[in-house]
Amino acid sequence: MALKNKEIFLNPLGKNNPVTVQMLGVCSALAVTSKLEPSIVMAISVIAVLALANVVISLLRNTIPGRIRIIVQLVVVAALVTIVNEVLKAFAYDVSKQLSVFIGLIITNCIVMGRLEAFALGNKPWPAFLDGVGNGLGYGIILIIVGFFRELLGSGTLFGIKVIPEAFYEMGYENNGLMILPPMALIVVACIIWVQRAKDKDLQEKN
């Protein structure tokens, strides 16, 4: 992989993460991360939509009139989101019910529209695909970390399976119900941002 393409793919995973650095897509981190399974499904859905939408818009970039480019982008994203939603209903119906309207709201995810506008419209399909997968992975990693800690500490389970030994509960351990409330998603995301910026001084704002 060429150096430039490697940077396009890897930067969203770290120094240019769409959630922890660009502060995009935070709303869905609140909505779908109370359990690990829907977090993973949402992450995969966004990766698929973002990568394919980037490729389609990149292929059409020289034919789309500037005045209607946003409408074209919305049509492409809406079509892909509809396909993803139907696939989930067919093969993972229970999870699609848990995610409810949030799959449909991928259309309004600012990461998706941001990458189409900022990258896919000005680049060839292969770099656009890498940019979509990289940003989708960067977003998905954060969702999965948040979902892992919220389900583990809030319910004592992972993928619905109890993982904290019964002996812990007999010694007085209690599940932290606050973890499954939406505000705790923000706090977990803030902890991830704190750890990331503590390790990478370049991300720290200068006074």
Side-chain angles (χ1 to χ4, degrees):
M1 188 183 295
L3 181 60
K4 185 180 177 184
N5 286 343
K6 190 175 180 180
E7 288 180 359
I8 290 171
F9 178 73
L10 293 178
N11 274 347
L13 306 182
K15 287 190 174 182
N16 200 24
N17 186 281
V19 180
T20 60
V21 179
Q22 299 178 45
M23 301 299 166
L24 301 175
V26 177
C27 298
S28 53
L30 274 69
V32 303
T33 55
S34 61
K35 292 185 177 179
L36 186 55
E37 187 179 17
S39 304
I40 292 173
V41 172
M42 186 68 173
I44 294 171
S45 301
V46 171
I47 292 169
V49 170
L50 186 49
L52 294 175
N54 261 13
V55 171
V56 172
I57 293 300
S58 177
L59 288 169
L60 299 175
R61 69 188 186 283
N62 295 324
T63 63
I64 303 173
R67 288 179 297 177
I68 62 167
R69 70 185 192 284
I70 299 295
I71 297 172
V72 174
Q73 291 169 15
L74 283 172
V75 169
V76 170
V77 174
L80 292 169
V81 168
T82 301
I83 293 170
V84 167
N85 198 31
E86 294 303 311
V87 169
L88 285 177
K89 284 181 180 176
F91 298 102
Y93 184 70
D94 290 340
V95 178
S96 75
K97 282 179 64 179
Q98 289 181 47
L99 289 171
S100 184
V101 299
F102 298 111
I103 287 292
L105 287 177
I106 292 175
I107 297 169
T108 62
N109 189 315
C110 37
I111 298 173
V112 177
M113 295 304 293
R115 296 323 298 169
L116 295 179
E117 187 73 6
F119 195 89
L121 276 175
N123 289 277
K124 294 180 178 178
W126 178 239
F129 175 76
L130 293 176
D131 179 79
V133 174
N135 278 279
L137 278 174
Y139 166 84
I141 288 169
I142 302 302
L143 246 67
I144 291 168
I145 293 173
V146 175
F148 174 85
F149 284 107
R150 289 184 70 193
E151 182 175 355
L152 178 65
L153 301 178
S155 305
T157 62
L158 288 174
F159 295 108
I161 302 169
K162 189 166 278 300
V163 294
I164 294 181
E166 195 60 36
F168 279 49
Y169 292 97
E170 292 173 359
M171 287 189 293
Y173 178 82
E174 294 285 345
N175 292 329
N176 186 348
L178 193 60
M179 289 297 294
I180 58 177
L181 298 179
M184 284 308 297
L186 279 181
I187 294 174
V188 177
V189 170
C191 291
I192 296 170
I193 293 171
W194 174 59
V195 171
Q196 184 183 21
R197 295 190 180 202
K199 290 177 65 178
D200 191 341
K201 304 296 182 187
D202 292 340
L203 294 176
Q204 296 180 9
E205 291 84 1
K206 294 179 175 59
N207 295 322

